[in-house]
Amino acid sequence: MSSSNRVSQLGAHLQPNKSNGFPTPQESLGAERLNITFPIRTMTNFLDGGEKTSALKERIMMELERDPVWKTNDQHDMGLAEIRERTMAKVRRIAHYIAHESLDTFKKRMELVSMLDPATWTRAGVHYGLFFGALRGGATPAQFSYWVQKGAMTLNGMVGCFAMTELGHGSNVAGLETTATFDEAADEFVIHTPTLTATKWWIGGAAQTATHAVVFAQLIVKGKRYGVKNFVVPLRDPETFEVKPGIVIGDIGAKMGRHGIDNGYIQFTHVRIPRSYMLMKHSKVSRNGQVKEPPLQQLTYGALISGRVSMVTDSANVSKKALTIAIRYAAIRRQFGGKPGEPETKLLDYVIHQHRLMPLLAQSFAMHFTAVEVTRIYEKLMESMEALQPGDKDLEAVLDQLKEVHGTSAGLKAFCTWMCLNVIDQCRQSCGGHGYSAYTGLASTYSDFAVHCTWEGDNTILTLQAGRYLIGCYREAKTGKRQAGGVAYLNDLDNLLKSKCTATRPEDVASLEVVGQAFWLVAANVVKKAGEDFEAALKRGLKEEEAYEECSQARLHAAKIHSFGYLFHRFRDAVDRAPEDLKAVLGKLCLLYGLYTISENSGAFLQYEFFNPRQIDWIRAEVARLCKQVRLESIPLTDSFNISDFIINSPLGRYDGNIYESYFARVQSAYKPSVVPPYFKRQIRPLLQRKLEREDVLDIDDEFE
């Protein structure tokens, strides 16, 4: 390209509204909306679960945008104290909503808050999801009523936190060191931090705002340990906010993201609480020190699944937000390729850019429909568990259901959060230098989301839990016990393991049926391999836990392929039940997700010989073809997510396409141009005006000899 033409192109970028014959950013984005084969509103309603839910979502987005408490234009230029104060102002607003709207409306509101302000979502979630959730799941009816009357539901009189993690223990909850020793004479528990590593750490809300904590501690009665139980411990006086005697609380300091959360540490020194402050829905301690354990300890695990399920939903939503920004920007931004008198080429028209973003767009749909399904089966499980009575004939079926939801949600939480974090970073990189700016939204989205890969169960640990569940299903299937739900493919292993792709033409591999069969075949093989490795370790004399550790890598691999297949099959189920005018585009997206995932994990599909090398080549070619097709409707598809500009909160992702003026205005509002820096006299002037010593002078005469 000539220098004069390049200058002309730069001028078009710097003055996007100038009439030069080239499309403006707004016109470029508008043209993309002409490429459509499906009704956007029908897609929006289908994704949301119906017209009423779409309308509710739009109403809440408008309320958030018009409420000054939720303003976002200055969030990247605030100090820590300001951020935390504003977060608590938002928590106060959330407390108002929970008292005045239905649970379904409140859940939808919090889903949107999670995309707009992850820190506030977390701070409110610590109280309502963790603290109040622990009360709901662990308290007796009388205890629950007591704490509700004390203000646990309405945030009147108390703000809760969840004190599980310690400085020396995280995922290994059974290894927590904090103790709760029963003093029978006083009818009290003594909560104590016996070591430095027993210090409660990373406790959201502890540093500045919580009055009470649900504390995880080792129950000790008459010198005997009974494992980790939950205790409500008052931390501060709600009137004066002074910390209670025997308690030391501090701030753990700067962290990667979610700065609005006041994460802190807590140390207890022989802090006494009434016996009734132990949550006793499951385990009970009587006045005379008799301990009654639940007959089925695993029934206490149901509440732990909630956070994992919500993070599958959050992964889908945050992926959709990041992709909306990156794809809209790619439909506007032009780079290279222009001939004299013609505009440069859109990023979205480059094959490599399509391959970078279109499979991730398809993946976001897969995560969305999977989140809908896993939420449904979780809610069904909780209904079954709440209705369960001692000696219930449905007990075994409920326990099987619990195992499935626990194992499935563990794998999905891990792989969906990992995938979403990759989506955010790929979107950030695809926006070039602008993606690195805080004002364009993707940098903070990444740093805020990254913690999802650690809390509510470290992802690697969760994949191993999922792998352990799959080994158990495989061993049960070998004995003839029928498997249900997402592991039903293990019921017919003998026939399934013999299947192969018989495609003899490229177009024959481009089939949802073929892709579905491929995932079942390979998942069955990797699960079988993990099971065989486990059983081989047992035969060598290893104990059960040692055998599971020995086959850790096989467990992780089994969980990975199983989870990817689960995502595909839930997407395919959604295609089957979709309105007729959406089936074609959703089928295309589902096929792209499936084939792209196979191509990225082709080793396993070749190893177990479902596909041969030639067929894998066909799959990769089909992925490229589908990327070009999906690219044509990528803007209407992101429009169907129905995320307002306020929630997107990025000039690069504006619906109207006016990205440059908006971006420039955002920067100008934050910083005045050409201001002399306050450290000029202290640092810059001494640097510029220092007297050079002889050795500081460059001698270049030698270069001319």
Side-chain angles (χ1 to χ4, degrees), residues 497 499-500 518 521-530 532-533 553-554 557-558 561 598 601-613 615-616 620:
L497 296 177
S499 63
K500 291 185 179 182
L521 176 282
V522 178
N525 271 289
V526 294
V527 171
K528 177 174 177 284
K529 178 66 167 62
E532 289 173 344
D533 287 356
Q553 190 59 39
H557 190 48
I561 299 298
I598 289 170
N601 298 273
S602 57
F605 291 85
L606 288 168
Q607 178 183 353
Y608 295 109
E609 299 181 342
F610 186 84
F611 293 117
N612 60 43
Q615 291 167 337
I616 292 293
R620 290 187 173 131

Side-chain angles (χ1 to χ4, degrees), residues 330 332-338 343-350:
I332 295 168
R333 178 73 170 188
R334 295 176 181 272
Q335 199 94 312
F336 306 117
E344 294 178 88
T345 303
K346 289 182 177 183
L347 294 183
L348 203 50
D349 286 331
Y350 285 104

